[in-house]
């Protein structure tokens, strides 16, 4: 496995390092706390993106809020 950037960078731009929110959950290089920080950041971004899309602003191809919420639920199971 390759080495990950520092946690602050992962929290700031998780979509640059993970193909999906579930990839964060399954990454064994991260602690559960780090996974939660990353996913919560991703959730906030998805919420903002959702609001922008509701106002007819382009938001890009980042995962929707539902995918992030499902990943957080999966993380809570462990």
């Amino acid at each position: 496995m390759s080495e990950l950037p520092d946690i602050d960078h992962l929290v700031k731009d998780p979509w640059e390092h993970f193909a999906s929110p579930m990839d964060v959950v399954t990454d064994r290089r991260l602690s559960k706390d780090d996974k939660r920080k990353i996913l919560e950041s991703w959730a906030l971004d998805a919420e903002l993106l959702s609001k922008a899309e509701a106002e007819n602003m382009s938001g890009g191809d980042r995962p929707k809020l539902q995918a992030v919420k499902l990943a957080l639920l999966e993380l809570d199971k462990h």
Side-chain angles (χ1 to χ4, degrees):
M1 276 187 188
S2 65
E3 193 166 319
L4 287 172
D6 67 84
I7 186 65
D8 292 333
H9 189 73
L10 293 172
V11 169
K12 182 180 175 198
D13 298 313
W15 54 89
E16 288 185 10
H17 304 282
F18 300 97
S20 73
M22 200 58 72
D23 289 343
V24 176
V25 174
T26 60
D27 195 314
R28 295 177 185 250
R29 299 170 290 180
L30 298 167
S31 70
K32 187 172 183 177
D33 287 340
D34 287 345
K35 291 175 183 183
R36 181 165 305 285
K37 287 178 193 174
I38 293 165
L39 290 170
E40 287 175 350
S41 172
W42 210 333
L44 178 59
D45 185 63
E47 287 173 11
L48 294 173
L49 179 60
S50 177
K51 288 178 186 177
E53 288 174 347
E55 296 172 0
N56 292 326
M57 292 184 229
S58 176
D61 293 333
R62 295 181 187 159
K64 303 291 184 199
L65 183 57
Q66 182 179 9
V68 181
K69 296 287 186 180
L70 288 172
L72 280 164
L73 287 171
E74 186 65 29
L75 182 63
D76 287 340
K77 290 180 183 178
H78 299 102

